[in-house]
Amino acid sequence: MELLGPENSDTILALQMLAISWRSLGKYSEAEAAQRQVVERRTQQLCENHNDTIEGVQYLAIVLYCMDRYDESEAIELEALSIRREVFGDAHLDTINAECNLGTTMY
C-alpha cells in the first residue's frame, strides 16, 4: 500500500469530503478547519484561480454561512464570483452557480 501524503490531490479531496461530512453533521468548527486546510493546500499546489481551489473556497463559504457568519461568507462568495468571472466569463455555468451561491448567502 502506498501512502500519499498531505499534499497529494487525493488526500486533499478526502479532506474536503471529510469537511463536507462534518458540516452535514453540524460539526462546523471541524468542518471550517478542514476546509481552510483544503483551500490553503490547493492554493499552494494549483493556484488561487484554479477551479478546484475556487470550489474549496465556496465550500468554506457554506460552512461559514452555517455558522451564522454571514458577512464572512458573503465576502468569500464575492471573491469566488469575481475569480469565476475573470477565468470563465459571465455566461459560464460555474460563474452562474457562483452568482446563485452569492444570492443564497445574501438572502
Side-chain angles (χ1 to χ4, degrees):
M1 180 166 80
E2 178 185 347
L3 297 178
L4 301 177
E7 303 305 320
N8 181 278
S9 61
D10 289 334
T11 303
I12 297 169
L13 178 60
L15 183 59
Q16 180 162 290
M17 294 297 106
L18 180 60
I20 291 169
S21 296
W22 278 334
R23 185 189 78 219
S24 296
L25 293 170
K27 296 182 176 186
Y28 301 127
S29 295
E30 293 91 337
E32 178 188 3
Q35 197 59 50
R36 286 190 186 279
Q37 287 182 44
V38 168
V39 171
E40 180 181 321
R41 291 178 189 175
R42 284 185 173 163
T43 300
Q44 291 172 352
Q45 194 176 58
L46 302 171
C47 84
E48 68 179 16
N49 292 348
H50 191 278
N51 194 41
D52 290 345
T53 305
I54 302 167
E55 176 186 77
V57 166
Q58 289 184 295
Y59 280 126
L60 175 60
I62 293 168
V63 172
L64 295 173
Y65 182 85
C66 291
M67 298 171 77
D68 298 331
R69 291 163 58 184
Y70 304 120
D71 291 341
E72 290 175 78
S73 179
E74 182 180 338
I76 289 173
E77 291 287 2
L78 281 167
E79 176 187 343
L81 177 57
S82 175
I83 294 170
R84 294 243 189 238
R85 281 187 173 141
E86 179 183 322
V87 173
F88 298 119
D90 288 334
H92 193 277
L93 182 59
D94 288 342
T95 304
I96 295 167
N97 284 334
E99 289 173 336
C100 182
N101 291 343
L102 175 61
T104 300
T105 299
M106 295 175 79
Y107 179 73

